Amino acid sequence: MTPNLVGGLEPPYYTAVFTSIRPDAPEGYAETSARMQELVQDIPGFLGYESARTPGGIGITVAYFRDLDGLAAWQHHPEHMAAKRHGREHWYDSYRVHIGKVERTYGFERG
């Protein structure tokens, strides 16, 4: 889980919302997740991400990108593609990816 919310982004920008169902702590998942978090930082246009998981196995990760080129670069990154393939074969019961364009954003923080 990410401890802070992504904020201060000037629209428009894009999101990749990855929702999944998987068993708790499958072998190798934590290491691969950490590696993906490291790799995505180097993608031009990557703005940040937020992630959460329920005890029942539902996970949601939202990645933010300045443009569709950055999002496509992440989608086609060789290590990311290998991790997705491994996830389908070994970790996930199901998942969905939703791509969206953010045109407006606002928030609240208790001071």
Side-chain angles (χ1 to χ4, degrees):
M1 269 187 6
T2 50
N4 297 307
L5 299 178
V6 172
L9 303 179
E10 184 65 34
Y13 55 90
Y14 293 84
T15 60
V17 181
F18 177 73
T19 57
S20 64
I21 298 175
R22 70 163 173 79
D24 287 337
E27 185 176 333
Y29 184 86
E31 296 82 3
T32 300
S33 179
R35 177 66 179 151
M36 294 303 105
Q37 291 170 28
E38 178 184 307
L39 286 175
V40 74
Q41 301 286 328
D42 293 332
I43 298 293
F46 174 72
L47 301 172
Y49 77 96
E50 297 159 332
S51 185
R53 181 161 296 280
T54 70
I58 297 173
I60 301 171
T61 297
V62 182
Y64 301 92
F65 293 87
R66 174 55 50 209
D67 52 42
L68 290 173
D69 290 339
L71 203 149
W74 178 237
Q75 179 184 10
H76 299 294
H77 187 285
E79 279 189 67
H80 185 219
M81 290 176 68
K84 290 187 289 187
R85 192 168 35 256
H86 188 83
R88 284 189 301 271
E89 294 170 2
H90 301 284
W91 295 327
Y92 296 109
D93 293 335
S94 66
Y95 70 79
R96 297 284 183 266
V97 178
H98 308 273
I99 305 300
K101 180 179 181 182
V102 177
E103 297 182 0
R104 186 171 69 119
T105 186
Y106 59 91
F108 166 79
E109 288 187 36
R110 187 169 310 281

